[in-house]
Amino acid sequence: MKASAAFTSPAFSGRPQVSHGRVAACPATRRSGVASWMGDVITSVMSNGKKSVSVQEALELIQEKHLPIVDVRTPEEFAEGHPVEAVNITWNESFVHAMRETYPNLNGEILLSCKSGARSAASQEALNECGYTNTINVKGGYLAWAGASLPTEK
C-alpha cells in the first residue's frame, strides 16, 4: 500500500508543547530551527530505551497483528524501495500533523522505519512527546530490511 502524505505546517520549528496533560498545537516551538531540534532528538533517542524491534520481528508484527509500518524517508528514497505495505510519511516539520491525520489513535501500535533507524527513532520521540503511546522503531531500517531479504516493493 503506497501512500505519501504532503502536509504543510508553517508553525513548526521545534519541540511540541504540552499544556494540562494534552499536546497543545503539536508540534509548536520555543526553539529556533527544526534541523537543530531534529539533530538533538536523533542524538538523544539512540539510547533512551524506547521500544524497538528487529526487522524480522517487525515483519511478524505486520503479518500477525496487521500493524501499520510508516516509512519516514523522503518520497524519493521511498520510491527506490520500501517494505511491502509501508506508508510513506516523511520526517519533516509536518510529520506529526500528517501522522495525526493518518493515524489519529494515539494508543494504536505503529511501526516506524527509515533508511538506518536514526530518523525513525527521532520520529518516534516526536510522536511520543505528542501523545502517541505505542510507537515501535524498526532497528536498522530499510538497509537491514533489504539486507535480510524481507519483502519489498517499489
Coordinates of all heavy atoms in Angstrom, one line a residue, residues 34-130:
V34 N 14.1 23.8 13.0 CA 13.8 22.4 13.1 C 15.0 21.4 12.9 O 15.0 20.4 13.6 CB 12.7 22.1 12.0 CG1 13.2 22.2 10.6 CG2 12.1 20.7 12.2
A35 N 15.9 21.8 12.1 CA 17.1 21.0 11.9 C 17.9 20.8 13.2 O 18.3 19.7 13.6 CB 18.0 21.6 10.9
S36 N 17.9 21.9 14.0 CA 18.6 21.8 15.3 C 17.8 20.8 16.2 O 18.4 20.0 16.9 CB 18.7 23.2 16.0 OG 19.2 23.0 17.3
W37 N 16.5 21.0 16.3 CA 15.7 20.1 17.1 C 15.8 18.6 16.7 O 16.0 17.7 17.5 CB 14.3 20.5 17.2 CG 13.4 19.6 18.0 CD1 13.5 19.5 19.3 CD2 12.4 18.8 17.5 NE1 12.5 18.5 19.7 CE2 11.8 18.1 18.6 CE3 11.8 18.5 16.2 CZ2 10.8 17.2 18.5 CZ3 10.8 17.6 16.1 CH2 10.3 17.0 17.3
M38 N 15.7 18.4 15.4 CA 15.8 17.0 14.8 C 17.2 16.4 15.2 O 17.2 15.3 15.6 CB 15.6 17.0 13.3 CG 14.2 17.2 12.9 SD 14.1 17.2 11.1 CE 12.3 17.1 10.9
G39 N 18.2 17.2 15.1 CA 19.5 16.7 15.4 C 19.6 16.4 16.9 O 20.2 15.3 17.2
D40 N 19.1 17.2 17.8 CA 19.1 16.9 19.2 C 18.3 15.6 19.5 O 18.7 14.8 20.3 CB 18.4 18.1 20.0 CG 19.3 19.3 20.0 OD1 20.4 19.3 19.6 OD2 18.7 20.4 20.4
V41 N 17.2 15.5 18.8 CA 16.3 14.3 19.0 C 17.1 13.0 18.6 O 17.1 12.1 19.3 CB 15.0 14.4 18.3 CG1 14.2 13.1 18.3 CG2 14.1 15.5 19.0
I42 N 17.7 13.1 17.4 CA 18.4 11.9 16.9 C 19.5 11.5 17.9 O 19.7 10.4 18.2 CB 19.0 12.2 15.5 CG1 17.8 12.2 14.5 CG2 20.0 11.1 15.1 CD1 18.2 12.6 13.1
T43 N 20.2 12.5 18.4 CA 21.3 12.3 19.4 C 20.7 11.7 20.6 O 21.3 10.7 21.2 CB 22.0 13.6 19.7 OG1 22.6 14.1 18.5 CG2 23.2 13.3 20.7
S44 N 19.6 12.2 21.2 CA 19.1 11.8 22.5 C 18.4 10.4 22.4 O 18.4 9.7 23.4 CB 18.2 12.8 23.1 OG 17.0 12.9 22.3
V45 N 17.8 10.1 21.3 CA 17.0 8.9 21.3 C 17.7 7.6 21.1 O 17.2 6.5 21.3 CB 15.8 8.9 20.3 CG1 14.9 10.1 20.6 CG2 16.3 9.0 18.9
M46 N 18.9 7.7 20.6 CA 19.7 6.5 20.3 C 19.8 5.6 21.6 O 20.0 4.4 21.4 CB 21.0 6.8 19.7 CG 20.9 7.5 18.3 SD 19.7 6.8 17.2 CE 20.6 5.4 16.6
S47 N 19.7 6.1 22.8 CA 19.9 5.3 24.0 C 18.8 5.6 25.0 O 19.1 5.5 26.2 CB 21.3 5.5 24.6 OG 21.4 6.9 24.9
N48 N 17.6 5.9 24.6 CA 16.6 6.3 25.5 C 15.7 5.2 26.0 O 14.7 5.5 26.7 CB 15.8 7.5 24.9 CG 14.9 7.0 23.8 OD1 14.9 5.9 23.4 ND2 14.1 8.0 23.3
G49 N 15.9 4.0 25.5 CA 15.0 2.9 26.0 C 13.7 2.8 25.3 O 12.8 2.0 25.8
K50 N 13.4 3.5 24.3 CA 12.1 3.4 23.6 C 12.0 2.1 23.0 O 13.0 1.4 22.7 CB 11.9 4.5 22.6 CG 12.0 5.9 23.1 CD 10.8 6.2 24.0 CE 10.9 7.7 24.5 NZ 10.2 7.9 25.7
K51 N 10.8 1.6 22.7 CA 10.6 0.3 22.2 C 11.1 0.2 20.7 O 10.8 1.0 19.9 CB 9.1 -0.1 22.2 CG 8.8 -1.5 21.8 CD 7.4 -1.9 22.1 CE 7.3 -3.4 21.7 NZ 5.9 -3.8 21.9
S52 N 11.8 -0.9 20.5 CA 12.3 -1.1 19.1 C 12.3 -2.6 18.9 O 12.4 -3.4 19.8 CB 13.7 -0.5 18.9 OG 14.6 -1.1 19.8
V53 N 12.3 -3.0 17.6 CA 12.3 -4.4 17.2 C 13.2 -4.6 16.0 O 13.5 -3.7 15.3 CB 10.9 -4.9 16.9 CG1 9.9 -4.9 18.1 CG2 10.3 -4.1 15.7
S54 N 13.6 -5.8 15.8 CA 14.4 -6.2 14.7 C 13.5 -6.2 13.4 O 12.3 -6.2 13.5 CB 15.0 -7.6 14.8 OG 14.0 -8.6 14.8
V55 N 14.1 -6.2 12.3 CA 13.3 -6.3 11.0 C 12.5 -7.6 11.0 O 11.3 -7.5 10.5 CB 14.2 -6.1 9.8 CG1 14.7 -4.7 9.7 CG2 15.3 -7.1 9.7
Q56 N 13.0 -8.7 11.4 CA 12.2 -9.9 11.4 C 11.1 -9.8 12.4 O 9.9 -10.3 12.0 CB 13.1 -11.1 11.8 CG 12.5 -12.4 11.6 CD 12.0 -12.7 10.1 OE1 12.8 -12.5 9.2 NE2 10.8 -13.1 10.0
E57 N 11.3 -9.3 13.5 CA 10.2 -9.1 14.5 C 9.1 -8.1 13.9 O 7.9 -8.3 14.1 CB 10.7 -8.5 15.8 CG 11.5 -9.5 16.6 CD 12.2 -8.9 17.8 OE1 12.8 -7.8 17.6 OE2 12.3 -9.5 18.8
A58 N 9.6 -7.1 13.2 CA 8.6 -6.1 12.6 C 7.8 -6.9 11.5 O 6.5 -6.7 11.5 CB 9.4 -5.0 11.9
L59 N 8.4 -7.7 10.7 CA 7.6 -8.5 9.7 C 6.6 -9.3 10.4 O 5.4 -9.4 10.0 CB 8.5 -9.3 8.8 CG 7.9 -10.1 7.8 CD1 7.1 -9.2 6.8 CD2 8.9 -11.0 7.0
E60 N 6.9 -10.0 11.5 CA 6.0 -10.8 12.2 C 4.8 -10.0 12.8 O 3.7 -10.4 12.7 CB 6.7 -11.6 13.3 CG 7.7 -12.6 12.8 CD 8.6 -13.2 13.9 OE1 8.3 -12.9 15.1 OE2 9.6 -13.9 13.6
L61 N 5.1 -8.8 13.3 CA 4.1 -7.9 13.8 C 3.1 -7.5 12.7 O 1.9 -7.4 12.8 CB 4.6 -6.7 14.5 CG 5.3 -7.0 15.8 CD1 6.1 -5.8 16.3 CD2 4.3 -7.4 16.9
I62 N 3.7 -7.2 11.5 CA 2.9 -6.8 10.3 C 2.0 -8.0 9.9 O 0.8 -7.8 9.7 CB 3.8 -6.4 9.2 CG1 4.5 -5.1 9.5 CG2 3.0 -6.2 7.9 CD1 5.6 -4.7 8.6
Q63 N 2.5 -9.2 9.9 CA 1.8 -10.4 9.4 C 0.8 -10.9 10.4 O -0.3 -11.2 10.1 CB 2.8 -11.5 9.0 CG 3.6 -11.2 7.8 CD 4.7 -12.2 7.6 OE1 5.1 -13.0 8.4 NE2 5.1 -12.3 6.3
E64 N 1.2 -10.9 11.7 CA 0.3 -11.5 12.7 C -0.7 -10.5 13.3 O -1.8 -10.8 13.6 CB 1.2 -12.1 13.8 CG 2.0 -13.3 13.3 CD 3.0 -13.8 14.3 OE1 3.0 -13.3 15.5 OE2 3.9 -14.6 13.9
K65 N -0.2 -9.2 13.5 CA -1.1 -8.3 14.2 C -1.6 -7.2 13.2 O -2.3 -6.3 13.6 CB -0.3 -7.6 15.4 CG 0.0 -8.6 16.5 CD 0.7 -7.9 17.6 CE -0.2 -7.1 18.5 NZ 0.6 -6.5 19.6
H66 N -1.2 -7.3 12.0 CA -1.5 -6.3 10.9 C -1.2 -4.9 11.3 O -2.0 -4.0 11.1 CB -3.0 -6.5 10.6 CG -3.4 -7.8 10.2 ND1 -3.1 -8.4 9.0 CD2 -4.1 -8.8 10.9 CE1 -3.5 -9.7 9.0 NE2 -4.1 -9.9 10.1
L67 N 0.0 -4.7 12.0 CA 0.4 -3.4 12.3 C 0.8 -2.6 11.1 O 1.4 -3.1 10.2 CB 1.6 -3.4 13.3 CG 1.4 -4.0 14.7 CD1 2.6 -3.8 15.5 CD2 0.2 -3.4 15.3
P68 N 0.5 -1.3 11.1 CA 1.0 -0.4 10.0 C 2.5 -0.2 10.2 O 3.0 -0.1 11.3 CB 0.2 0.8 10.2 CG -0.1 0.9 11.7 CD -0.3 -0.5 12.1
I69 N 3.1 0.0 9.1 CA 4.5 0.4 9.1 C 4.6 1.7 8.3 O 4.2 1.8 7.2 CB 5.5 -0.7 8.5 CG1 7.0 -0.2 8.6 CG2 5.1 -1.1 7.1 CD1 8.0 -1.3 8.4
V70 N 5.2 2.7 9.0 CA 5.4 4.0 8.4 C 6.8 4.2 8.1 O 7.7 4.1 9.0 CB 4.9 5.1 9.4 CG1 5.2 6.5 8.8 CG2 3.4 5.0 9.6
D71 N 7.1 4.5 6.8 CA 8.5 4.7 6.4 C 8.7 6.3 6.4 O 7.9 7.0 5.6 CB 8.7 4.2 5.0 CG 10.1 4.2 4.5 OD1 10.8 5.2 4.7 OD2 10.6 3.2 3.9
V72 N 9.6 6.8 7.1 CA 9.7 8.2 7.3 C 10.7 8.9 6.4 O 11.0 10.0 6.5 CB 10.0 8.6 8.8 CG1 8.9 8.1 9.7 CG2 11.4 8.1 9.2
R73 N 11.2 8.1 5.4 CA 12.2 8.6 4.5 C 11.5 9.6 3.5 O 10.3 9.7 3.4 CB 12.9 7.5 3.7 CG 13.7 6.6 4.6 CD 14.3 5.4 3.8 NE 13.3 4.6 3.3 CZ 13.4 3.8 2.2 NH1 14.5 3.8 1.6 NH2 12.4 3.0 1.8
T74 N 12.3 10.2 2.7 CA 11.7 11.1 1.7 C 11.0 10.3 0.6 O 11.3 9.1 0.4 CB 12.8 12.0 1.0 OG1 13.7 11.1 0.2 CG2 13.7 12.8 2.0
P75 N 10.1 11.0 -0.1 CA 9.4 10.3 -1.2 C 10.4 9.7 -2.2 O 10.1 8.6 -2.8 CB 8.5 11.3 -1.8 CG 8.2 12.3 -0.7 CD 9.5 12.3 0.1
E76 N 11.5 10.3 -2.5 CA 12.5 9.8 -3.4 C 13.1 8.5 -2.9 O 13.3 7.6 -3.7 CB 13.5 10.9 -3.7 CG 13.0 12.1 -4.4 CD 12.3 13.1 -3.5 OE1 12.5 13.1 -2.2 OE2 11.6 14.0 -4.0
E77 N 13.5 8.5 -1.7 CA 14.0 7.3 -1.1 C 13.0 6.2 -1.0 O 13.3 5.0 -1.3 CB 14.5 7.6 0.4 CG 15.7 8.5 0.5 CD 16.0 8.9 2.0 OE1 15.1 9.5 2.6 OE2 17.0 8.4 2.5
F78 N 11.8 6.5 -0.7 CA 10.7 5.6 -0.6 C 10.5 4.9 -2.0 O 10.3 3.7 -2.0 CB 9.4 6.3 -0.1 CG 8.3 5.4 0.2 CD1 8.2 4.6 1.3 CD2 7.2 5.3 -0.7 CE1 7.1 3.8 1.6 CE2 6.1 4.5 -0.5 CZ 6.1 3.7 0.7
A79 N 10.5 5.7 -3.0 CA 10.3 5.2 -4.4 C 11.4 4.2 -4.8 O 11.1 3.4 -5.7 CB 10.2 6.4 -5.4
E80 N 12.5 4.3 -4.2 CA 13.6 3.4 -4.6 C 13.4 2.0 -4.0 O 14.1 1.1 -4.4 CB 15.0 4.0 -4.1 CG 15.4 5.2 -4.9 CD 16.6 5.9 -4.3 OE1 17.2 5.3 -3.4 OE2 17.0 6.9 -4.8
G81 N 12.5 1.9 -3.1 CA 12.2 0.6 -2.4 C 11.9 0.8 -1.0 O 12.4 1.7 -0.3
H82 N 10.9 0.0 -0.5 CA 10.4 0.0 0.8 C 9.8 -1.3 1.2 O 9.5 -2.1 0.4 CB 9.4 1.2 1.0 CG 8.3 1.1 0.0 ND1 8.4 1.7 -1.2 CD2 7.1 0.5 0.1 CE1 7.3 1.5 -1.9 NE2 6.5 0.7 -1.1
P83 N 9.6 -1.5 2.6 CA 8.9 -2.7 3.0 C 7.5 -2.8 2.4 O 6.8 -1.8 2.2 CB 8.8 -2.6 4.5 CG 9.9 -1.6 4.9 CD 10.1 -0.7 3.7
V84 N 7.1 -4.0 2.0 CA 5.8 -4.2 1.4 C 4.7 -3.6 2.4 O 4.8 -3.8 3.6 CB 5.5 -5.7 1.1 CG1 4.1 -5.9 0.8 CG2 6.4 -6.1 0.0
E85 N 3.8 -2.9 1.9 CA 2.7 -2.3 2.6 C 3.0 -1.1 3.5 O 2.2 -0.6 4.2 CB 1.9 -3.3 3.5 CG 1.4 -4.5 2.6 CD 0.1 -5.1 3.1 OE1 -0.5 -4.5 4.0 OE2 -0.2 -6.2 2.6
A86 N 4.3 -0.6 3.3 CA 4.7 0.6 4.1 C 4.0 1.8 3.6 O 3.6 1.9 2.4 CB 6.2 0.8 4.0
V87 N 3.7 2.7 4.4 CA 3.1 4.0 4.1 C 4.2 5.1 4.3 O 4.9 5.0 5.3 CB 1.9 4.3 5.0 CG1 1.4 5.7 4.8 CG2 0.8 3.3 4.8
N88 N 4.3 6.0 3.3 CA 5.4 7.0 3.4 C 4.8 8.3 4.0 O 3.9 8.9 3.4 CB 5.9 7.3 2.0 CG 7.1 8.2 2.0 OD1 7.2 9.0 1.0 ND2 8.0 8.2 2.9
I89 N 5.3 8.6 5.2 CA 5.1 9.9 5.8 C 6.4 10.5 6.2 O 7.0 10.0 7.1 CB 4.1 9.8 7.0 CG1 2.8 9.2 6.6 CG2 3.9 11.2 7.6 CD1 1.8 9.0 7.7
T90 N 6.9 11.5 5.4 CA 8.2 12.0 5.6 C 8.5 12.7 6.9 O 7.7 13.4 7.4 CB 8.5 13.0 4.4 OG1 8.4 12.2 3.2 CG2 10.0 13.5 4.5
W91 N 9.6 12.4 7.5 CA 10.1 13.0 8.7 C 10.5 14.4 8.4 O 11.6 14.7 7.9 CB 11.2 12.2 9.4 CG 11.9 12.8 10.5 CD1 13.3 13.1 10.6 CD2 11.4 13.3 11.8 NE1 13.6 13.7 11.8 CE2 12.4 13.8 12.5 CE3 10.1 13.4 12.3 CZ2 12.2 14.4 13.8 CZ3 9.9 13.9 13.5 CH2 11.0 14.4 14.3
N92 N 9.6 15.4 8.6 CA 9.9 16.8 8.4 C 9.1 17.6 9.3 O 8.4 17.1 10.3 CB 9.7 17.2 6.9 CG 8.3 17.0 6.5 OD1 7.4 16.9 7.2 ND2 8.2 16.8 5.2
E93 N 9.0 18.9 9.1 CA 8.3 19.8 10.0 C 6.8 19.5 10.1 O 6.1 19.9 11.0 CB 8.5 21.3 9.7 CG 8.1 21.7 8.3 CD 9.1 21.4 7.2 OE1 10.2 21.0 7.5 OE2 8.7 21.5 6.0
S94 N 6.2 18.8 9.1 CA 4.8 18.5 9.1 C 4.5 17.0 9.5 O 3.3 16.6 9.4 CB 4.2 18.8 7.8 OG 4.8 18.0 6.8
F95 N 5.5 16.3 10.0 CA 5.4 14.9 10.2 C 4.3 14.6 11.3 O 3.4 13.7 11.0 CB 6.7 14.3 10.7 CG 6.6 12.9 11.1 CD1 6.5 11.9 10.2 CD2 6.6 12.5 12.5 CE1 6.5 10.5 10.6 CE2 6.5 11.2 12.9 CZ 6.5 10.2 11.9
V96 N 4.3 15.2 12.4 CA 3.3 14.9 13.4 C 1.9 15.2 13.0 O 1.0 14.4 13.2 CB 3.7 15.6 14.8 CG1 2.6 15.4 15.8 CG2 5.0 15.1 15.3
H97 N 1.7 16.3 12.3 CA 0.4 16.7 11.7 C -0.1 15.6 10.8 O -1.2 15.1 10.8 CB 0.5 18.0 11.0 CG -0.8 18.4 10.4 ND1 -1.9 18.8 11.1 CD2 -1.2 18.4 9.1 CE1 -2.9 19.0 10.2 NE2 -2.5 18.8 9.0
A98 N 0.8 15.1 9.9 CA 0.5 14.1 8.9 C 0.1 12.8 9.6 O -0.8 12.1 9.3 CB 1.6 13.9 7.9
M99 N 0.9 12.5 10.7 CA 0.6 11.2 11.4 C -0.8 11.3 12.1 O -1.5 10.4 12.1 CB 1.7 11.0 12.5 CG 3.0 10.5 11.9 SD 2.8 8.8 11.1 CE 2.5 7.8 12.5
R100 N -1.1 12.5 12.7 CA -2.4 12.6 13.4 C -3.5 12.5 12.4 O -4.6 12.0 12.7 CB -2.4 14.0 14.1 CG -1.6 13.9 15.4 CD -1.9 15.2 16.2 NE -1.1 15.1 17.4 CZ -1.7 15.0 18.6 NH1 -3.0 15.0 18.7 NH2 -0.9 14.9 19.7
E101 N -3.3 13.0 11.1 CA -4.3 12.9 10.1 C -4.5 11.4 9.7 O -5.6 10.9 9.5 CB -4.0 13.7 8.9 CG -4.0 15.2 9.1 CD -5.5 15.7 9.2 OE1 -6.3 15.2 8.4 OE2 -5.7 16.6 10.1
T102 N -3.4 10.7 9.5 CA -3.4 9.3 9.0 C -3.7 8.3 10.1 O -4.4 7.3 9.9 CB -2.1 9.0 8.3 OG1 -1.8 10.1 7.4 CG2 -2.1 7.7 7.6
Y103 N -3.1 8.5 11.3 CA -3.3 7.6 12.4 C -3.7 8.4 13.7 O -2.9 8.7 14.5 CB -1.9 6.9 12.7 CG -1.4 6.1 11.5 CD1 -0.4 6.5 10.7 CD2 -2.0 4.8 11.2 CE1 0.0 5.8 9.6 CE2 -1.6 4.1 10.1 CZ -0.6 4.6 9.3 OH -0.2 3.9 8.2
P104 N -5.0 8.7 13.8 CA -5.4 9.5 14.9 C -5.5 8.8 16.2 O -5.5 9.5 17.3 CB -6.8 10.0 14.5 CG -7.3 8.9 13.5 CD -6.0 8.4 12.8
N105 N -5.4 7.5 16.2 CA -5.5 6.7 17.5 C -4.1 6.8 18.2 O -3.2 6.1 17.8 CB -5.9 5.3 17.3 CG -5.9 4.5 18.5 OD1 -5.6 4.9 19.6 ND2 -6.2 3.2 18.4
L106 N -4.0 7.6 19.2 CA -2.7 7.8 19.9 C -2.2 6.5 20.6 O -1.1 6.4 21.0 CB -2.8 9.0 20.9 CG -3.1 10.3 20.3 CD1 -3.2 11.4 21.4 CD2 -2.2 10.7 19.2
N107 N -3.1 5.6 20.8 CA -2.8 4.4 21.6 C -2.5 3.2 20.6 O -2.2 2.1 21.1 CB -3.9 4.0 22.6 CG -4.0 5.1 23.6 OD1 -3.0 5.6 24.2 ND2 -5.2 5.5 23.9
G108 N -2.7 3.3 19.3 CA -2.5 2.2 18.4 C -1.0 2.0 18.2 O -0.2 2.9 18.2
E109 N -0.7 0.7 18.0 CA 0.7 0.3 17.7 C 1.1 0.7 16.3 O 0.3 0.4 15.4 CB 0.9 -1.2 17.9 CG 0.8 -1.6 19.4 CD 1.1 -3.1 19.5 OE1 0.2 -3.9 19.1 OE2 2.2 -3.4 20.1
I110 N 2.2 1.3 16.1 CA 2.7 1.8 14.8 C 4.2 1.5 14.7 O 4.9 1.9 15.6 CB 2.4 3.3 14.6 CG1 1.0 3.6 14.7 CG2 3.0 3.7 13.3 CD1 0.7 5.1 14.8
L111 N 4.6 0.8 13.6 CA 6.0 0.6 13.4 C 6.5 1.8 12.6 O 5.8 2.3 11.7 CB 6.2 -0.7 12.5 CG 5.8 -2.0 13.2 CD1 5.6 -3.1 12.2 CD2 6.9 -2.4 14.2
L112 N 7.7 2.2 12.9 CA 8.4 3.3 12.2 C 9.7 2.8 11.7 O 10.5 2.2 12.4 CB 8.6 4.5 13.2 CG 7.4 5.0 13.9 CD1 7.7 5.9 15.1 CD2 6.6 5.8 12.9
S113 N 10.0 3.2 10.4 CA 11.2 2.8 9.8 C 11.7 3.9 8.9 O 11.0 4.8 8.5 CB 10.9 1.6 8.9 OG 12.1 1.1 8.2
C114 N 13.0 3.9 8.6 CA 13.7 4.8 7.7 C 14.8 4.0 7.0 O 14.7 2.9 6.8 CB 14.2 6.0 8.5 SG 15.5 5.6 9.7
K115 N 15.9 4.7 6.7 CA 17.0 4.0 6.0 C 17.8 3.2 6.9 O 18.1 2.0 6.7 CB 17.9 5.1 5.3 CG 19.0 4.4 4.5 CD 19.8 5.5 3.8 CE 21.0 4.9 3.0 NZ 21.8 5.9 2.3
S116 N 18.2 3.8 8.1 CA 19.0 3.0 9.0 C 18.5 2.9 10.4 O 19.1 2.2 11.3 CB 20.4 3.7 9.0 OG 20.3 5.0 9.6
G117 N 17.5 3.7 10.8 CA 16.9 3.6 12.1 C 17.0 4.9 12.9 O 16.3 5.1 13.9
A118 N 17.8 5.9 12.4 CA 18.0 7.1 13.1 C 16.8 8.1 13.0 O 16.3 8.6 14.0 CB 19.3 7.8 12.7
R119 N 16.4 8.3 11.8 CA 15.2 9.2 11.6 C 13.9 8.6 12.2 O 13.1 9.3 12.8 CB 15.0 9.5 10.1 CG 15.9 10.5 9.5 CD 15.7 10.7 8.1 NE 16.3 9.6 7.3 CZ 16.2 9.5 6.0 NH1 15.6 10.3 5.3 NH2 16.8 8.5 5.4
S120 N 13.8 7.3 12.1 CA 12.6 6.7 12.7 C 12.6 6.8 14.2 O 11.6 7.0 14.9 CB 12.4 5.3 12.2 OG 13.5 4.5 12.4
A121 N 13.8 6.7 14.8 CA 14.0 6.9 16.2 C 13.6 8.3 16.6 O 13.0 8.5 17.6 CB 15.4 6.5 16.7
A122 N 14.1 9.3 15.8 CA 13.7 10.7 16.1 C 12.2 10.9 15.9 O 11.6 11.6 16.7 CB 14.5 11.6 15.1
S123 N 11.6 10.3 14.9 CA 10.2 10.5 14.7 C 9.4 9.8 15.8 O 8.4 10.3 16.3 CB 9.8 9.9 13.3 OG 9.9 8.5 13.3
Q124 N 9.9 8.7 16.4 CA 9.3 8.0 17.5 C 9.3 8.9 18.7 O 8.3 9.1 19.4 CB 10.1 6.7 17.8 CG 9.5 6.0 19.0 CD 10.3 4.8 19.4 OE1 11.6 4.8 19.3 NE2 9.7 3.7 19.7
E125 N 10.4 9.6 19.0 CA 10.5 10.5 20.1 C 9.5 11.7 19.9 O 8.8 12.0 20.9 CB 11.9 11.1 20.2 CG 12.1 12.1 21.3 CD 12.1 11.4 22.7 OE1 12.2 10.2 22.8 OE2 12.0 12.2 23.7
A126 N 9.4 12.2 18.7 CA 8.4 13.3 18.5 C 7.0 12.9 18.7 O 6.2 13.6 19.3 CB 8.6 13.9 17.1
L127 N 6.7 11.7 18.2 CA 5.3 11.2 18.4 C 5.0 10.9 19.9 O 3.9 11.2 20.3 CB 5.1 9.9 17.6 CG 5.1 10.1 16.1 CD1 5.1 8.7 15.4 CD2 3.9 10.9 15.6
N128 N 6.0 10.4 20.6 CA 5.8 10.1 22.0 C 5.6 11.4 22.7 O 4.7 11.5 23.6 CB 7.0 9.3 22.6 CG 7.0 7.9 22.1 OD1 6.1 7.4 21.4 ND2 8.1 7.2 22.3
E129 N 6.3 12.4 22.4 CA 6.1 13.8 23.0 C 4.8 14.4 22.7 O 4.3 15.2 23.4 CB 7.2 14.7 22.6 CG 8.6 14.4 23.2 CD 9.6 15.4 22.8 OE1 9.3 16.5 22.2 OE2 10.8 15.2 23.1
C130 N 4.2 13.9 21.6 CA 2.9 14.4 21.2 C 1.7 13.5 21.6 O 0.6 13.7 21.1 CB 2.9 14.7 19.7 SG 3.9 16.0 19.2

